[in-house]
Amino acid sequence: MSVIPLSEAHADLVPLVGGKAAGLGELIRAGERVPEGFCVTTEAYRAGVVPRDEVRAAYARLGGGPVAVRSSATDEDLPDASFAGQHDTVLDVEGEADLLAAIGTCWESLHGSRAAAYRQARGTDPADVRMAVVVQRMVTPVRAGVLYTANPVTGNRTEMLVEVGPGTTVVDGRTDVTRVVLADPAGSDGGRPEPGWQGDLWAVGRRVQAHFGGPQDVEWAIDHDGTLWLLQSRPVSTLFPAPPQTDDLRVYVEFGNVQGMLRPVTPMGMATLRAMIAAMVASLGMRVEIVDIGGRLYGDLTDLVRRPASRRRLVRLMAVDFGPRAQAVMEHVLRDPRFAPSGDGSRRRPADASLGTALRALRGILRALTRPDAARRRLVAAVDRLRAESVAPAHLRTAHERLRFVRDHGDGDGGAADDITWPIVAGMLASALPAHLLKGVATEDDVHAVLRGVPHNVTIEMDLALWALASAAREHRDLLLDTPPAELAARYLRGALPEIGLSGFLSRYGHRAAAEADVGVPRWAEDPTPVLAAVANYLRLTDPAQAPDRRFAEAAAAAGAALDELAARVRRRRPVRGRIAIFLLRRARRLAGLREAGKFAGLYRLRTVREQLLLIGATLFPTADDVMFLTLDEVGAALDGADLTGLVARRRATHRRELRRRVVPVALLSDGTDVESTLPAPTDGAGLLRGVGAATGRVTGPARVVTDPATAYLEPGEILVTATTDPGWTPLFLTAGALVTETGAIMAHGPTVAREYGIPAVISVPGATSRIVTGQVITVDGAAGTVTTAR
């Protein structure tokens, strides 16, 4: 079947007719007006010969005359890949010879440089792709353009965006276009714009979106007779997934970046994190529903926004725990009249913390501040208890027994919660309060300088242990530098890697990983590729003065000197408040490093849960970690005989698609609006990117944009530029010259570790990973909160 009428194409024939032809065939089936045409299928492409006789016959049935010849590859115009402009289109083709040549041109464009680069960026195997070609009667328009049935700029699903211009100039980009936003005055349940071509487009958009079941990018043209023709319809692949439909307008704030996670969470990980984050927010006196949007964790803050008492706290909460971008978004939401305070908010106030809990907190904090070393010893003992208690009992044999264990595991904390929580809280308070006590006498940079090189941070201890491993492994330097980390990891797991101390490191830290809060993510003990990539980066460091252990020791010494200088200064100007502040800073140096211990301890339980789930998965699926794409209830159903392989496959495909997403909205409205997109555009000057200074210092050097720490190549002194970081990223900090991130708060993992290593950090730089390119020389000024790119 080398040539078929366009009217016979449909969604199930994508492997034969490609994405564009399938979309056009669906429009015809839906009764829309589409120029008549035919499709030269992928079977002809596979044969490598244009079916001349069939093409001539089909062209004759069209009546000859001018036609449009357009690509229709099997991987374009699909939900996760538009390939807009990547393949060739030939317009106004007339005559059999030119038509045959145009088909060959479309075939050749399948592996052109533009399409090849696009596929490489998306991880598509070119060998799996075929090209069909659409031939349609040419429409000569007086007005043409593109209709987006959801606003692609803001994400708002209740608006449509039209780009319109004369002739065919809109799609090929040869002239400026006019943008028109079509808003439904009656909301999403009825109404449309005024009659005329805009009203016609609105009506067409509603029909087409309903037919395909999601927002569409529709190419259209109006001819001299005023007839509206549809030339293409494909999914809008750039939209972030929509929040759940609700009766009222709601606001959701992304919570994952608090844990340094912007990648999608597996379904199994989602349930664990929902409970953890809800508990964390509850400790602040608030109840928040955690919603899965695009595999990310969003908190529904609508009730808090509309409650007068909590509105006052939200901006401060955003600034401290979520970062300045979330703070700006929340300030905007609070000004939005649609989120004005409601009179009934008080009826849904969360229960206040009990007096007993408050007294226990006060006692624990004061106890830690009074005797910090004893508090630290209790915390370490509690972590060791949790590690021992996390081990699964030996009697588990069947998958049902393992599932029961996973459901019940972690119900108790063995009395460890208070011993871990209050020293950490005390350290955080001791770090945060001095800046307020010393306003007018000392700056935040002065306080940050005192908090460099803080001891007892388990993440920094991990990084320095890895540096020690690399230093001891220098006799194997050539092997570790010249062999890809993934191959080294495979050798280690086979027992074929020379002994470099990796087993000892993994016995202590192998339960960690990037995005480690997701139980669905492999631990370093399962796949030590990221560890070996970090070791290779360390081995490139040859300057003894830049050795991480030396830099950390120097940072600690400099912090001690800064504390003594600050103490002398503030005691003269603020005798009472100054003494309190200095007392707190001295306690902070003994307690603040403990802030990573709680999560570190919780990861032991997560490791055990993962181990048991994988054992269950091995009994259900050919690939054990398929189990991570189910919930616990679904695992129970599968153990009882339900066939969930199709569900797993669909969720895996969605997860892979979301892994490629580089931009995650800070906040969303329930109509799909990316709130940040509605704020005034930043006023950065040429070459100047503004963020928030999180660790002081000024460094100039080449940038290294990193999206995956497992494969990161980082030369000593290069500036690490990434979307976000969590403790699994911090081994890269040891040799980095500075840190630039797109998200984060000053007290988040990444900036905290950067301060303690003494490297400058600027966080919350919108679009940093796209506005900066690897190798570009940039200057990071942690005091000013700016990143300057060289011209």
Side-chain angles (χ1 to χ4, degrees), residues 278-363:
M280 177 188 74
V281 176
S283 71
L284 302 175
M286 296 182 292
R287 290 178 184 167
V288 173
E289 180 185 1
I290 305 302
V291 180
D292 177 356
I293 307 176
R296 277 78 178 187
L297 296 130
Y298 280 83
D300 184 347
L301 301 189
T302 313
D303 293 342
L304 297 176
V305 165
R306 290 182 171 144
R307 187 181 303 129
S310 57
R311 285 168 67 91
R312 293 190 293 270
R313 302 170 57 191
L314 278 175
V315 172
R316 184 170 65 252
L317 174 67
M318 294 296 108
V320 173
D321 291 326
F322 291 79
R325 291 174 61 191
Q327 178 185 0
V329 161
M330 186 52 60
E331 290 171 342
H332 176 78
V333 168
L334 293 177
R335 292 192 297 267
D336 189 329
R338 296 174 297 176
F339 291 102
S342 60
D344 62 349
S346 60
R347 291 200 298 269
R348 293 193 287 178
R349 293 175 64 93
D352 293 330
S354 69
L355 179 61
T357 301
L359 291 174
R360 193 169 75 248
L362 180 62
R363 176 177 176 271

Side-chain angles (χ1 to χ4, degrees), residues 75 77-83 118 122 235 237 653 656-657 660:
D75 62 346
D77 289 6
L78 301 178
D80 61 341
S82 70
F83 274 85
Y118 190 95
R122 304 190 69 81
S237 60
R656 282 195 298 269
R657 183 169 69 242
R660 295 195 292 267

Side-chain angles (χ1 to χ4, degrees), residues 218-423:
V218 183
E219 190 178 328
W220 56 274
I222 299 175
D223 65 16
H224 290 274
D225 297 327
T227 302
L228 173 61
W229 297 91
L230 302 190
L231 309 178
Q232 171 183 284
S233 185
R234 62 188 174 203
V236 182
S237 60
T238 57
L239 286 174
F240 193 76
Q245 288 190 341
T246 56
D247 294 332
D248 61 339
L249 189 67
R250 306 195 71 79
V251 59
Y252 306 94
V253 173
E254 204 277 321
F255 276 35
N257 74 85
V258 176
Q259 291 293 326
M261 291 177 58
L262 288 183
R263 57 174 284 155
V265 178
T266 60
M268 188 64 74
M270 182 64 68
T272 304
L273 284 169
R274 272 179 168 164
M276 182 186 74
I277 294 178
M280 177 188 74
V281 176
S283 71
L284 302 175
M286 296 182 292
R287 290 178 184 167
V288 173
E289 180 185 1
I290 305 302
V291 180
D292 177 356
I293 307 176
R296 277 78 178 187
L297 296 130
Y298 280 83
D300 184 347
L301 301 189
T302 313
D303 293 342
L304 297 176
V305 165
R306 290 182 171 144
R307 187 181 303 129
S310 57
R311 285 168 67 91
R312 293 190 293 270
R313 302 170 57 191
L314 278 175
V315 172
R316 184 170 65 252
L317 174 67
M318 294 296 108
V320 173
D321 291 326
F322 291 79
R325 291 174 61 191
Q327 178 185 0
V329 161
M330 186 52 60
E331 290 171 342
H332 176 78
V333 168
L334 293 177
R335 292 192 297 267
D336 189 329
R338 296 174 297 176
F339 291 102
S342 60
D344 62 349
S346 60
R347 291 200 298 269
R348 293 193 287 178
R349 293 175 64 93
D352 293 330
S354 69
L355 179 61
T357 301
L359 291 174
R360 193 169 75 248
L362 180 62
R363 176 177 176 271
I365 293 168
L366 291 176
R367 189 183 184 195
L369 291 174
T370 304
R371 300 184 61 195
D373 293 337
R376 180 172 57 82
R377 288 193 293 271
R378 287 194 300 274
L379 179 146
V380 171
V383 171
D384 288 342
R385 278 201 312 277
L386 288 178
R387 180 182 185 180
E389 292 167 1
S390 72
V391 177
H395 64 74
L396 298 179
R397 290 288 183 271
T398 70
H400 283 91
E401 290 174 345
R402 297 186 194 282
L403 181 58
R404 281 194 295 272
F405 169 78
V406 168
R407 288 185 184 279
D408 298 338
H409 194 40
D411 286 346
D413 59 25
D418 283 356
D419 287 341
I420 293 175
T421 300
W422 305 127

Side-chain angles (χ1 to χ4, degrees), residues 531-602:
V531 176
L532 290 159
V535 169
N537 289 327
Y538 295 168
L539 290 173
R540 296 185 181 99
L541 182 63
T542 57
D543 181 1
Q546 295 301 312
D549 52 352
R550 180 170 174 177
R551 287 170 59 190
F552 185 76
E554 290 171 350
L563 179 57
D564 292 340
E565 187 278 330
L566 183 62
R569 188 191 339 155
V570 303
R571 283 171 181 161
R572 290 193 301 270
R573 299 181 58 184
R574 295 275 176 85
V576 177
R577 294 174 67 177
R579 288 179 184 275
I580 295 173
I582 296 304
F583 168 81
L584 289 173
L585 285 172
R586 293 193 189 282
R587 288 300 186 259
R589 289 203 56 79
R590 296 164 74 176
L591 293 172
L594 301 177
R595 69 187 303 274
E596 301 284 337
K599 181 181 180 183
F600 183 79

Side-chain angles (χ1 to χ4, degrees), residues 170-187:
V170 173
V171 176
D172 60 23
R174 289 181 292 171
T175 189
D176 291 336
V177 300
T178 299
R179 279 188 166 181
V180 179
V181 175
L182 306 180
D184 185 346

Side-chain angles (χ1 to χ4, degrees), residues 71 73 75-76 81-88 105-126 129 131:
S71 66
D75 62 346
E76 71 176 307
S82 70
F83 274 85
Q86 307 305 312
H87 301 129
D88 285 347
T105 298
C106 289
W107 280 3
E108 291 170 5
S109 70
L110 181 66
H111 298 297
S113 58
R114 289 172 299 171
Y118 190 95
R119 287 190 179 89
Q120 183 177 16
R122 304 190 69 81
T124 303
D125 187 349
V129 183
M131 176 68 84

